[in-house]
Amino acid sequence: MKQINRQMDSGYGESKIVGDLEPKQEYKFRIRFHRNDDIYSAWSPAVQVITDKEPYYGENLHKAVRNQSMGEIKTVLSSGNIVADVRDGHGLSALMTTAKLGQTDIMEMLLSFNASVDTKDESGKTALMHACFHGQLPAVKILIAHGALFDDYDLGGSSAIHYAIDSCNCELIEWIFKSGADVNCRDRNAGWTPLIRCASLTGNSIVAMVLIRNGADVNLQDSDGKTCLMIAVVNGHQQLVEVLLENNADISILNKSGRTAYEMAVSLEKRAIQKIMNPHDSVEAKRDSFS
């Protein structure tokens, strides 16, 4: 127990705030009054008080989440001092953090305390986008079951569907389109479909086959008029070029500069891809080697 003698400030105030006290600590206070003529009143009888427990802050929740302490998470959220969507130092809600890590048990608890699936980080990404980018199918299923939307977009114009393509998790990608998502949806920046994004970023031919099997149009063009075949050619994704050609990619389509995918292969000296796109090149190459 601590006893503190405090002199009231001058004036006519009826209360005094005492700071820097420790939580859950018992104190005794006495007061006296000071008049202008340097005369002091007697000290009052001691008044005993006990300070409250220190309130929870956002960091308490995020620390409990990092430690995967279900009991502490429940205690913090049950206190009523903290909402489930409070952000950490990186601007992420606890639901976003657990979604990208696939911590489904913690996600369920956060959602039971009204964590919002619509909350966005500083770049406009939702928990669903984080889960999709990291290939966390169980987390994606939970978020969709709680109302998360695939057709929401971040500040860069990409949706959760586009981030799922980056994960190269074919099981997740397959599930998304079996659930009814639009396999030919476009982003709001370059007009990329999931297949065009695949050609642009990873060039993963297996992902491309999953997309095509689920109805992806191989001949759609982005805002510059480029098809996924053109982009695969430019990036040198030979195996992807083969997959696209086997699935009726049109080599005669022109981009906005009036060039075809084959002309791009020629100008960039992608000789192996040229041979795939035009068998005549293979004959010419052999002829040159003997000349």
Side-chain angles (χ1 to χ4, degrees):
M1 181 184 298
K2 299 183 179 180
Q3 181 166 315
I4 299 179
N5 295 331
R6 286 290 173 91
Q7 180 175 303
M8 291 292 290
D9 294 334
S10 61
Y12 298 94
E14 297 180 353
S15 63
K16 170 69 176 180
I17 297 176
V18 180
D20 301 323
L21 301 182
E22 298 176 12
K24 298 187 69 175
Q25 178 67 49
E26 187 176 345
Y27 291 90
K28 283 187 176 181
F29 291 92
R30 297 194 303 162
I31 62 174
R32 68 176 179 177
F33 298 92
H34 175 213
R35 296 191 336 195
N36 291 334
D37 52 4
D38 289 333
I39 298 176
Y40 293 87
S41 69
W43 286 104
S44 71
V47 177
Q48 181 175 323
V49 298
I50 300 176
T51 54
D52 293 332
K53 181 180 179 180
E54 184 177 9
Y56 288 111
Y57 299 96
E59 176 56 25
N60 297 113
L61 174 60
H62 291 288
K63 181 178 179 181
V65 169
R66 288 194 298 271
N67 294 335
Q68 300 183 52
S69 174
M70 300 287 283
E72 185 63 17
I73 294 170
K74 185 175 182 179
T75 298
V76 172
L77 292 175
S78 297
S79 71
N81 299 122
I82 298 299
V83 295
D85 295 322
V86 63
R87 311 294 184 88
D88 65 10
H90 301 288
L92 301 180
S93 70
L95 187 61
M96 294 174 192
T97 299
T98 52
K100 70 180 184 178
L101 295 174
Q103 297 170 333
T104 53
D105 289 346
I106 300 178
M107 289 176 64
E108 293 281 15
M109 176 172 286
L110 293 168
L111 289 163
S112 73
F113 280 93
N114 299 316
S116 173
V117 297
D118 299 321
T119 297
K120 296 188 175 186
D121 64 16
E122 293 176 354
S123 63
K125 293 182 180 62
T126 62
L128 181 62
M129 294 176 190
H130 285 286
C132 283
F133 180 77
H134 289 88
Q136 301 290 357
L137 177 55
V140 169
K141 289 181 177 180
I142 289 173
L143 293 167
I144 292 297
H146 284 81
L149 300 174
F150 282 122
D151 57 352
D152 196 0
Y153 295 83
D154 67 5
L155 296 181
S158 296
S159 72
I161 297 172
H162 297 93
Y163 285 115
I165 303 306
D166 301 348
S167 76
C168 294
N169 183 332
C170 292
E171 183 183 3
L172 167 62
I173 295 167
E174 186 92 45
W175 184 87
I176 287 174
F177 297 116
K178 294 297 184 186
S179 299
D182 182 5
V183 72
N184 292 311
C185 66
R186 296 180 181 274
D187 68 25
R188 292 180 174 175
N189 181 25
W192 286 0
T193 65
L195 187 56
I196 293 176
R197 187 178 180 101
C198 173
S200 300
L201 299 183
T202 66
N204 190 306
S205 59
I206 299 176
V207 170
M209 286 189 286
V210 171
L211 292 170
I212 293 169
R213 184 168 65 244
N214 283 277
D217 187 334
V218 298
N219 291 315
L220 291 179
Q221 296 169 272
D222 67 11
S223 57
D224 292 323
K226 297 191 299 294
T227 63
C228 53
L229 179 60
M230 294 176 186
I231 296 170
V233 168
V234 170
N235 291 330
H237 297 314
Q238 181 175 335
Q239 192 170 9
L240 178 57
V241 169
E242 292 174 350
V243 168
L244 295 171
L245 290 173
E246 289 168 1
N247 287 276
N248 304 313
D250 187 346
I251 64 173
S252 67
I253 294 175
L254 302 176
N255 66 6
K256 286 188 175 181
S257 299
R259 302 174 70 193
T260 66
Y262 177 73
E263 289 171 336
M264 292 178 182
V266 172
S267 65
L268 294 172
E269 298 185 349
K270 306 282 187 180
R271 299 193 186 280
I273 293 178
Q274 284 178 238
K275 294 174 185 179
I276 297 169
M277 299 179 74
N278 188 352
H280 175 71
D281 284 341
S282 181
V283 174
E284 289 296 327
K286 289 181 180 178
R287 186 176 301 158
D288 292 341
S289 68
F290 288 107
S291 61

